[in-house]
Amino acid sequence: MIGIIGAMQVEIEGLKAMLSEPKTETVSGIDFISGRLGQTSVVLAVCGVGKVFAALCAQTMILRYPVDAVINTGVAGTLCRALGIGDVAISSDVVQHDMDTAGLGDPVGMISGIDIIHIPASRTMAALVEEIAKEEGCRSITGTIATGDQFLCDRERKNWIRSTFNAIAGEMEGGSIGQVCYVNKVPFVIIRAISDDADGNAPEDFPAFVEQVTHTSIRITARAAAAVQERIDHEQSLD
Ligand code: ADE
């Protein structure tokens, strides 16, 4: 089974519409909808915006459903010139740009306890998503996705995140979902269509483009769920 998490309804509703035999369970105010996307068994959830809701959702999903892998799908602000509105950012890893114990001598972004800054996403999943994006005619880049409890719309902050973490896109949930998956040893990937420039135009561009670009992230995610499950099943059959 593949778990699919989006922060907002618009990031998930296109997948819900494709689901057969849907069954809903509500935990802590979050609806978990399990069913089949074609031949693939999935559970979908709209977690809400920000790191706390995202972590709550990912942990609940992992505890209550037999998920082999988790996909976080949705939109992001671009942090690099090569990604424009409608293009796709795929995670090689995630960071939390608002994690900061530098006052205690740690590097900015280091997550105490696991003591790393960059949490690795599944390489296998990222490679499958890259392939699908290409087949769908989408420009994509795989790299670091930066997460924090902040809507990015300021050039200085954007440049700081890009230069500090070498990040390609910024959003508000992926790093948190990645941390939950990492500690639970569940492979994950983030798929984000670019909705805005994470700069001065973001407050206007985000609402203007969010609906349009989620068609791209949803199309790729639907195919990715099937491809990832097929790969996992194949690897397990070799064990
Ligand atoms: N998701 C989409 N655009 C974003 C932005 N500019 N900042 C944070 N999250 C986002």
Side-chain angles (χ1 to χ4, degrees), residues 75-77 150-152 170-172 195-196 198 202 206:
V75 298
Q150 188 175 42
F151 182 77
L152 302 171
E171 39 82 308
M172 302 178 70
S195 57
D196 60 87
F206 175 81

Side-chain angles (χ1 to χ4, degrees), residues 6-170:
M8 299 176 298
Q9 200 67 38
V10 65
E11 293 172 312
I12 289 291
E13 66 196 358
L15 292 166
K16 263 192 215 168
M18 297 180 211
L19 212 61
S20 56
E21 301 162 47
K23 239 174 69 186
T24 302
E25 178 193 29
T26 306
V27 183
S28 307
I30 297 174
D31 289 343
F32 293 85
I33 308 171
S34 54
R36 297 189 86 78
L37 259 186
Q39 299 302 307
T40 311
S41 177
V42 299
V43 55
L44 310 177
V46 176
C47 66
V49 174
K51 288 163 58 184
V52 174
F53 275 136
L56 188 161
C57 179
Q59 186 64 56
T60 304
M61 186 178 268
I62 288 168
L63 287 175
R64 292 184 83 107
Y65 295 88
V67 287
D68 297 302
V70 169
I71 299 173
N72 173 219
T73 183
V75 298
T78 182
L79 298 178
C80 64
R81 284 217 185 87
L83 281 178
I85 290 174
D87 295 338
V88 177
I90 302 165
S91 60
S92 56
D93 58 274
V94 291
V95 298
Q96 294 170 33
H97 63 76
D98 55 356
M99 188 68 179
D100 186 354
T101 51
L104 298 171
D106 297 329
V108 171
M110 198 191 82
I111 300 163
S112 298
I114 54 175
D115 295 346
I116 53 174
I117 298 171
H118 292 260
I119 298 175
S122 160
R123 272 197 211 179
T124 308
M125 289 173 76
L128 288 169
V129 176
E130 279 169 24
E131 190 80 23
I132 291 164
K134 201 164 143 195
E135 285 171 11
E136 291 288 329
C138 301
R139 181 162 38 186
S140 77
I141 296 187
T142 301
T144 300
I145 295 185
T147 299
D149 282 328
Q150 188 175 42
F151 182 77
L152 302 171
C153 54
D154 171 79
R155 176 158 306 176
E156 239 177 81
R157 182 72 185 166
K158 171 182 176 169
N159 289 342
W160 179 83
I161 293 169
R162 180 179 48 205
S163 58
T164 306
F165 301 105
N166 194 26
I168 60 166

